[in-house]
Structure formats: structure tokens, C-alpha cells
Amino acid sequence: MTFKPVPAAVPEVSLGDAFVTTRADAVVNWARRNSLWPFPFGTACCAIEFMGTVSSMFDLSRFGAELVRFSPRQADLLLIAGTVTYKQAPILRRIYDQMLEPKWVIAAGACATSGGFYDCYCTVPGIDEIIPVDIYIAGCPPRPEAFIEAVYQLQQKIGTESVAARKAVGA
Amino acid sequence: MSIVAAKPLEAGVPAERILAQLAERFAAVRDGRDRWGLTVTVARERLRDCLQWLRDEPSLHCDTLLDVAGVDYLAFPGHRGPRFAVVYLLKSTRFRHRLAVKVEVDEDDCALPSVHDLWKIADWAERETWDQYGIVFRGHPNLKRLLNHHEFSGHPLRKDYPCQKRQKLSVNDPMVDQLEARLRQRGYEVVERGEVSAGDPLTFREKSP
């Protein structure tokens, strides 16, 4: 973002720094990445760590992502924290479908990224079999610092996106 | 050996006497492999009578069915006899003793009589055992899967099930049939019915008198 000072040599115009010039992408992405509204899909111990992350000790609100919503229609960040079974998978897919674009997904912890140690008949081996994922967090469960790092990385990613380029569904 | 806990509420019955009674009435024999408490094996034909007697006999009073567990002895070291077994774990809240009743189940005739009328919890316990082992409980009112989803095929705790085989679920299983029946029983009625398979909720309202 750059300020464009009005030249003092033009006496008719004395608007000062009332003008700001920037790119649309920069200003939209700035707004989007600093007001992420997470929907926590918490199914296991990773969700407990997420509670610590949004609480006062680690305070995710410092990065503008503390306003946890429990309706997918009001959220733009789906945060899967925990094990997802095949029986739950259609529910997760439906929640993802109910979120409005633009939306992002963080898979938190070993289970959400790969199924973890549940190498068995009932556990989804990574939620990217069901929905697209932007950021993966390692750990079993990951510490709150890892959650904050994931949100930070997602903010960097959002900063590179283009508003004009239509986001393909599921991209 | 006594199976009575350290502080019985009332005087319990020694294990030897229970064994003798069970042997006399139901030709039950002690399972030599039991590691804790007392496990007796009975024939399938006498299973229901045996369990009912254990529940109703005042000196035993096994009023709680803790669990119904399936066992698959396929590839079990040194095992002879039928492939499956089902273990009924009983507990007396009055005497605080526990008792396990085991019945062997043949693979070709994989069925047992249901005891859902003796203990209510047997309803779900038998559904789970059928779901995981494929053992049919004859006379069960609603023998459908409890843990696995409704598109699942096979019985995953059988030792010959390929445990890494994935079975995706395409349509959500709302599992509200029992909830709906219970709410109707309590005087509620359905006022709005969404697309249940898509996960839309049912909306209930108390019936006006």
C-alpha cells in the first residue's frame, strides 16, 4: 500500500493524503486474511489443543482468527481437529459444502492429515479424501504454537491469491 | 476360589456352588481358559434358560448384563471346535460378583437366540456383535448395524476381514429411527421433516393435549 502525496505545486487541489492507491487484491486479501472466522470440526484431542489456542494463554485473536463460529454459513476457515471416521465423512463433506466461498481448510494433527495410527477399517486415512485441504499441521496432538503457525501460513497463502481469478470449487 | 468381591452387600455364593448348580441344571462346564472370575460354557440350546435362571435366581441375582462379546478363534493357537464364541458378561449389583457365560457358535450355523427381552441393553450389545462378527441373534427386533455405517459390507472383527480395506460411505446415515420412536412414545410429533439422508434434522413439537 502506498500513499500518494498530492504535489504542493497544484494549488487547486489540497486534498492531502485523503487518497490511497493500492491493488484490489492487496486490500481484499488484507481483509480476508486478518478476519478468518474458524469453524472447529473437533472430534478428538486436537480440539482440546485448539481450545487452548483460542484462549487467553496463546490467544489466536492476535492473528485475527479468534471468532469461532458454530454455523458453517458464518465461517470461512474449516478447522478439522481430530479423527474422522467413514461414518462421519458425509457430515464433514456437507459442512464443507455449506460454507460460502472463499473458504479454506486446515487439517490439524496426525489423524486429520493421515488417519494417524488408526490404520483400520473405519478411519478415513486423511480428510483430503473427502475435502480439499490448504494447510496440514503435524503433531499428535499439535501444540498451540503449531496451530498459530498454521494460521500464519494460511494468511501468507491467502495473500498470494487473486480476487479476479475465480477460485475453482474445491481448489 | 471365591468370585465374591471384598465387600459384598449381602452374603454371596461361593463359586463352587454356582458351578455345581449350573452343571446340574444346564450341563455347564467351566472354561479352563478363564483368566479372571468364573467363565462357564453352555450349549446353545440351553443358553436362554441358563441366562434367565442366573438373572432370576435370588441367591445369584445377576441383574446386569455388562456386555455381549464375540470371539473369533480363527488361527487361535491350539484351538479346536467351533470358530466363534459369544461371551455374556453378567454382574450382580446385590452381591457384586461377576460371571461370564460362553456359548460356542459354529461358522455354518452362525446364530444364537436373542436375550433382548431379558436385559434391555442386550438390544444394542447384540447389534454390535452382529455388526462386528456376523453372528445372528434370532428374535432380535431390529438387528441392524450399530457401529459401522449402513453401506458397509462384511464384518470387520472377523479375523479374515482385510482390516485395511476402506469402505466409503456416500449417503449419511441419520440413525434417528429409534429417537423418533421414543419421542413419539413420549408425546411428541414431527412437525418438519427435512431430507433425512442428507442430514437435515427432524423438528419435534410436544403434542397439544
Side-chain angles (χ1 to χ4, degrees), chain B residues 31-63:
Chain B
D31 187 346
R33 285 184 296 206
D34 57 355
R35 295 290 177 89
W36 57 271
L38 182 63
T39 304
V40 294
T41 307
V42 294
R44 183 171 70 174
E45 293 71 34
R46 310 180 94 155
L47 172 72
R48 261 191 70 92
D49 292 341
C50 178
L51 290 174
Q52 188 156 16
W53 181 78
L54 285 167
R55 186 189 70 162
D56 296 338
E57 167 64 29
S59 67
L60 295 175
H61 196 258
C62 292
D63 54 343

Side-chain angles (χ1 to χ4, degrees), chain A:
Chain A
M1 212 177 289
T2 50
F3 295 100
K4 191 177 179 188
V6 178
V10 186
E12 293 86 357
V13 183
S14 57
L15 292 171
D17 52 6
F19 282 97
V20 176
T21 59
T22 180
R23 291 176 297 114
D25 278 353
V27 78
V28 171
N29 288 343
W30 170 77
R32 283 179 175 173
R33 72 169 180 260
N34 290 305
S35 65
L36 289 167
W37 289 25
F39 177 97
F41 191 86
T43 51
C45 45
C46 291
I48 307 291
E49 295 296 314
F50 178 72
M51 292 172 205
T53 310
V54 292
S55 302
S56 55
M57 182 82 170
F58 294 95
D59 197 11
L60 191 58
S61 67
R62 292 178 293 162
F63 304 93
E66 84 283 15
L67 201 58
V68 175
R69 308 313 289 180
F70 294 97
S71 165
R73 293 180 177 84
Q74 298 171 348
D76 54 8
L77 169 59
L78 181 56
L79 214 148
I80 293 94
T83 321
V84 177
T85 61
Y86 279 114
K87 204 169 179 175
Q88 280 174 312
I91 301 167
L92 176 61
R93 177 75 217 187
R94 190 165 165 85
I95 286 173
Y96 178 80
D97 289 342
Q98 284 173 336
M99 290 171 65
L100 300 176
E101 292 282 355
K103 56 188 171 187
W104 300 275
V105 177
I106 291 179
C111 288
T113 54
S114 69
F117 52 75
Y118 298 108
D119 189 9
C120 67
Y121 60 92
C122 58
T123 306
V124 179
I127 53 138
D128 47 10
E129 297 227 332
I130 312 296
I131 55 173
V133 175
D134 292 282
I135 304 286
Y136 298 86
I137 310 179
C140 184
R143 281 192 55 87
E145 292 92 329
F147 278 89
I148 292 172
E149 171 70 14
V151 169
Y152 181 73
Q153 283 191 10
L154 181 64
Q155 287 174 333
Q156 304 304 307
K157 184 177 179 181
I158 294 169
T160 64
E161 290 177 356
S162 169
V163 181
R166 175 177 285 189
K167 210 177 164 191
V169 174

Side-chain angles (χ1 to χ4, degrees), chain B residues 88-141:
Chain B
Y88 295 80
L89 294 169
L90 304 176
K91 184 182 169 73
S92 168
T93 54
R94 182 184 297 162
F95 302 120
R96 295 186 180 177
H97 58 221
R98 290 211 232 183
L99 185 69
V101 177
K102 187 192 249 184
V103 55
E104 292 178 328
V105 186
D106 205 57
E107 192 178 358
D108 299 327
D109 186 15
C110 211
L112 284 177
S114 172
V115 293
H116 73 278
D117 50 335
L118 300 183
W119 292 276
K120 268 188 179 175
I121 190 62
D123 184 341
W124 281 24
E126 288 175 351
R127 274 175 63 186
E128 182 187 347
T129 309
W130 177 78
D131 184 5
Q132 302 284 51
Y133 291 93
I135 295 164
V136 175
F137 290 88
R138 290 198 180 115
H140 192 287

